Amino acid sequence: MSQTFVLPDVGEGLTEAEIVQWRVAPGDQVAVNDVIVEIETAKSLVELPSPFAGVVGELLVAEGATVEVGAPIITIAGADAAPSVVGQSEHGEPAAAESEGEGAVLVGYGTGGAVQSRRRKPAQAPVKSSVGVVAKPPIRKLARDLGVDLADVTPSGAAGEVTRDDVVGHASQASVFRNIQTPEWPQVREETIPVAPQAAASAPASAAAVAEANGEREETIPVRGVRKATSSAMVRSAYTAPHVSVWTDVDATRTMELVKRLKASPDFADVKISPLLIMARAVIWAVRRTPMINAAWIDTEDGGAEIQVRHYVNLGIAAATPRGLLVPNIKEAQSLNMRELAAALEKLTLTAREGRTTPADQQHGTITITNIGVFGMDAGTPIINPGESAIIAMGAIRQKPWVVDGEVRPRWVTTVSGSFDHRVIDGDGVSRFVADVASVLEEPALLLD
């Protein structure tokens, strides 16, 4: 008997996913709940377990291809239907599998969008390939995206595994050597690189890598996954919410002094401290003083509208990751003390970099911070995250001449800027909120109230 496994709805309300990496090959023996494939949706990387036990017959979709929910992806010969748990319900209870005949699909992922990777091993366990390189799945995907052969990378992980920094460093070094000689302009003026679904497995990891290898003048990159979801959300936000942007320069010298003291404190020895921590506390403090900044515009079914004011803060942090822009948020951030918030920020950042941010981590945000200063930018006019009414940008902190008590002195200066939904909050509220954030960065002792 042979069973066909189709791409399931993993509970996110999405219609398609990309096959990132097959964990099995034709002829492999699999048991129920063995991870057989890693897929990427618009929001997360998900490992799918097998609902059948048997021998892998055919992989029906190539790595790199995007397929719709319900499409056949693998056959398993001599398969027995799963008699036990293969997933979780939206409430976390075990859920069984449907496996009646052809087209059996996994169920029990729930509809709330809180998808987790399904692993039989601990989530952090490195995965060893056939050539002996130890690396986690997100690191392998990053290597593919950057065109890095993991066999050439020197690992620095505690368990001998290749880390994200190892891959990025190797890619940067390779880029330096590739650019020692400036290539001639190619003879071909324009060329589009086709990425057909069935050809994707044999194509280079990215169109940019193809262009570099072959010297084309232009390349075409397919829009899918996180990039597709982000572009849709940003267009919807830009054309539905009337954005207004403001900014102000801030003397952040005392913030830098506080960061230095916290780094030296034994109470903060095991967590990362940065100016972003003070910025986060400042935003939470300012929200309490101007609650409308944390509200949301809701269109009602009768054609009207209402404003939903949230008396809690799910603090979003815009994160640039190998998969694209993600905005995970810290739930109930207003209830965390300084150390707890620092730990939450560190966990959020590491999770995003490793590609383990789940859809649940990105849902129900109320206000967002984007730290453009890490890229050397001073200010910007960011687009509001859908479902929110404000996004605050923290610029680079630089030493600049600043007038203090009538004298020009060198001070640490940054710019606080942001965009706001003018349907929800007026200019006076926006200005008061930004001024409050700036006040805390100038004098963090205000947080002691």
Side-chain angles (χ1 to χ4, degrees):
M1 179 181 178
S2 178
Q3 295 278 23
T4 299
F5 180 34
V6 304
L7 181 68
D9 179 355
V10 292
E12 302 175 49
L14 302 174
T15 60
E16 63 182 18
E18 177 186 344
I19 303 298
V20 174
Q21 182 181 33
W22 284 105
R23 301 291 187 81
V24 295
D28 286 354
Q29 185 78 34
V30 295
V32 171
N33 280 348
D34 277 351
V35 174
I36 57 176
V37 66
E38 182 182 72
I39 66 172
E40 181 179 13
T41 70
K43 295 183 178 180
S44 64
L45 288 172
V46 180
E47 292 177 337
L48 296 183
S50 174
F52 311 120
V55 177
V56 176
E58 183 180 1
L59 307 182
L60 302 176
V61 182
E63 290 182 353
T66 299
V67 294
E68 295 183 355
V69 169
I73 60 174
I74 188 175
T75 62
I76 300 178
D80 296 324
S84 59
V85 176
V86 297
Q88 289 182 325
S89 73
E90 60 182 319
H91 302 295
E93 298 91 0
E98 288 181 351
S99 52
E100 298 296 329
E102 293 290 309
V105 299
L106 291 178
V107 299
Y109 285 84
T111 59
V115 180
Q116 304 289 341
S117 294
R118 275 70 181 172
R119 292 175 171 86
R120 301 184 72 210
K121 307 176 193 176
Q124 295 298 317
V127 177
K128 181 172 288 190
S129 74
S130 59
V131 295
V133 177
V134 181
K136 299 172 187 175
I139 304 304
R140 293 183 179 278
K141 183 178 187 302
L142 174 62
R144 289 197 301 272
D145 291 344
L146 296 178
V148 172
D149 185 346
L150 286 175
D152 296 334
V153 179
T154 301
S156 65
E161 75 274 15
V162 175
T163 68
R164 180 182 184 278
D165 289 343
D166 295 336
V167 173
V168 172
H170 185 90
S172 299
Q173 185 180 39
S175 176
V176 170
F177 284 106
R178 281 196 300 266
N179 288 288
I180 289 177
Q181 295 181 335
T182 303
E184 297 292 333
W185 286 102
Q187 297 298 315
V188 178
R189 178 176 173 80
E190 294 183 0
E191 184 173 354
T192 299
I193 303 170
V195 185
Q198 296 304 320
S202 59
S206 69
V210 174
E212 185 171 326
N214 299 334
E216 284 92 351
R217 180 179 172 85
E218 296 182 355
E219 70 272 0
T220 298
I221 300 174
V223 178
R224 58 193 180 198
V226 171
R227 175 57 56 192
K228 184 176 181 180
T230 300
S231 62
S232 176
M234 293 299 98
V235 168
R236 186 170 69 254
S237 176
Y239 285 94
T240 57
H243 285 53
V244 58
S245 298
V246 298
W247 52 88
T248 186
D249 292 335
V250 182
D251 178 359
T253 302
R254 289 181 178 174
T255 284
M256 298 301 285
E257 292 171 351
L258 175 58
V259 168
K260 184 177 180 180
R261 289 199 300 271
L262 291 177
K263 287 182 176 180
S265 170
D267 293 336
F268 290 83
D270 58 344
V271 292
K272 182 178 180 180
I273 305 298
S274 74
L276 179 61
L277 171 61
I278 313 304
M279 178 69 170
R281 286 298 300 270
V283 167
I284 296 169
W285 183 80
V287 163
R288 190 175 64 187
R289 291 162 56 86
T290 309
M292 291 300 293
I293 211 76
N294 198 46
W297 180 276
I298 307 294
D299 292 315
T300 58
E301 294 182 356
D302 61 2
E306 58 188 20
I307 295 175
Q308 181 187 65
V309 182
R310 283 82 65 102
H311 299 294
Y312 57 91
V313 178
N314 289 347
L315 184 62
I317 305 295
T321 77
R323 295 175 52 227
L325 178 66
L326 301 178
V327 189
N329 61 78
I330 299 171
K331 303 295 192 291
E332 303 293 336
Q334 82 287 348
S335 65
L336 304 180
N337 61 32
M338 186 78 84
R339 190 186 185 286
E340 291 169 338
L341 185 59
L345 284 169
E346 183 176 21
K347 179 180 178 181
L348 177 149
T349 302
L350 291 176
T351 300
R353 285 177 179 173
E354 294 177 359
R356 295 186 292 109
T357 301
T358 68
D361 294 332
Q362 301 173 66
Q363 293 177 338
H364 310 303
T366 63
I367 190 169
T368 294
I369 297 174
T370 176
N371 186 10
I372 60 176
V374 297
F375 306 110
M377 299 295 103
D378 293 323
T381 56
I383 296 177
I384 301 166
N385 202 32
E388 302 174 15
S389 294
I391 180 169
I392 314 302
M394 183 178 186
I397 302 179
R398 313 176 194 273
Q399 277 203 316
K400 295 182 179 180
W402 193 265
V403 178
V404 181
D405 296 331
E407 296 181 0
V408 178
R409 302 177 185 176
R411 305 289 282 183
W412 291 103
V413 178
T414 188
T415 301
V416 176
S417 57
S419 297
F420 308 88
D421 188 339
H422 215 325
R423 297 174 301 177
V424 176
I425 188 164
D426 295 329
D428 60 334
V430 166
S431 300
R432 183 167 56 249
F433 174 80
V434 172
D436 281 344
V437 172
S439 294
V440 172
L441 295 180
E442 290 180 348
E443 182 48 85
L446 288 172
L447 296 174
L448 299 177
D449 72 346

